[in-house]
Amino acid sequence: LRGGPGEVTKADESGLTATLTTGKTEEHPWKELNAKCVTKLTQLAMDPASGDDWITVGLFALVLQDVPSAERSVDKARSLGANIDPYLASLAQRAFSAAEALAAKKEFAKAETALGSIEEKYGKTPWFAANKSTFETLRAQAKTGIREAEAEELYAEAAKLFAEKDL
């Protein structure tokens, strides 16, 4: 945790409180913790042989909007025999929201890649069946965006060649 040496003395819904060696306390909201801190905390607080602990770590990562870490943790929980079915819808929805954000930023190739990954991981879940129409709409938008970007590149190249009278 930032702020120098100290110990975590409290953890609640709002975040962590650390007491420094000077006696001062610092509050660290969950949303402001960086990946290094989260990794360190999870290593200290979990049993790596427990599927339930891996699910908890995955849900924690999901709350922090770190979908890749959440998916890795839940995959680890599955490999240890834990039932992850109740958490798949939340993971799929967060991954889909991330793909939507990519499309909104006009990063259509990345959005298309993310959608392919979502379909591979969650294509057989009830969440996917219930959201297939929305999923396909976003996929069509991503494909259209990719084609339009390619067309714009070709047009720019043609315009440049035309200006140089090098057709």
Side-chain angles (χ1 to χ4, degrees), residues 16 72 104-105 110 121-122 161:
L16 299 174
R72 283 191 302 273
K105 292 189 290 186
K110 289 181 181 178
K121 291 177 185 175
Y122 307 108
L161 292 172

Side-chain angles (χ1 to χ4, degrees), residues 13-78:
E13 305 83 33
S14 62
L16 299 174
T17 301
T19 301
L20 306 179
T21 55
T22 62
K24 288 177 46 176
T25 60
E26 287 185 349
E27 294 186 15
H28 303 277
W30 293 116
K31 292 271 185 188
E32 293 179 13
L33 297 179
N34 63 33
K36 182 179 177 182
C37 180
V38 171
T39 300
K40 185 175 180 179
L41 281 172
T42 56
Q43 289 171 348
L44 292 172
M46 71 173 289
D47 174 5
S50 168
D52 289 340
D53 280 8
W54 280 104
I55 287 173
T56 301
V57 169
L59 293 175
F60 185 57
L62 201 57
V63 167
L64 296 174
Q65 298 183 16
D66 183 355
V67 176
S69 292
E71 289 178 330
R72 283 191 302 273
S73 297
V74 171
D75 286 344
K76 180 67 175 176
R78 179 185 334 182

Side-chain angles (χ1 to χ4, degrees), residues 6-164:
E7 290 188 34
V8 174
T9 54
K10 179 180 170 188
D12 59 22
E13 305 83 33
S14 62
L16 299 174
T17 301
T19 301
L20 306 179
T21 55
T22 62
K24 288 177 46 176
T25 60
E26 287 185 349
E27 294 186 15
H28 303 277
W30 293 116
K31 292 271 185 188
E32 293 179 13
L33 297 179
N34 63 33
K36 182 179 177 182
C37 180
V38 171
T39 300
K40 185 175 180 179
L41 281 172
T42 56
Q43 289 171 348
L44 292 172
M46 71 173 289
D47 174 5
S50 168
D52 289 340
D53 280 8
W54 280 104
I55 287 173
T56 301
V57 169
L59 293 175
F60 185 57
L62 201 57
V63 167
L64 296 174
Q65 298 183 16
D66 183 355
V67 176
S69 292
E71 289 178 330
R72 283 191 302 273
S73 297
V74 171
D75 286 344
K76 180 67 175 176
R78 179 185 334 182
S79 75
L80 292 170
N83 177 16
I84 63 165
D85 292 345
Y87 311 104
L88 293 177
S90 295
L91 287 166
Q93 183 58 52
R94 288 290 174 104
F96 184 75
S97 294
E100 286 179 313
L102 290 168
K105 292 189 290 186
K106 301 194 182 306
E107 295 181 23
F108 296 112
K110 289 181 181 178
E112 173 63 22
T113 300
L115 290 169
S117 178
I118 291 166
E119 186 170 25
E120 180 182 318
K121 291 177 185 175
Y122 307 108
K124 295 179 181 173
T125 65
W127 176 91
F128 192 83
N131 292 281
K132 188 159 178 69
S133 175
T134 306
F135 180 89
E136 291 302 333
T137 299
L138 185 60
R139 175 169 268 165
Q141 178 187 359
K143 286 182 178 183
T144 298
I146 290 168
R147 283 194 307 275
E148 287 177 0
E150 290 170 349
E152 287 176 14
E153 286 180 32
L154 285 173
Y155 178 80
E157 184 179 339
K160 178 183 168 204
L161 292 172
F162 180 77
E164 295 172 356

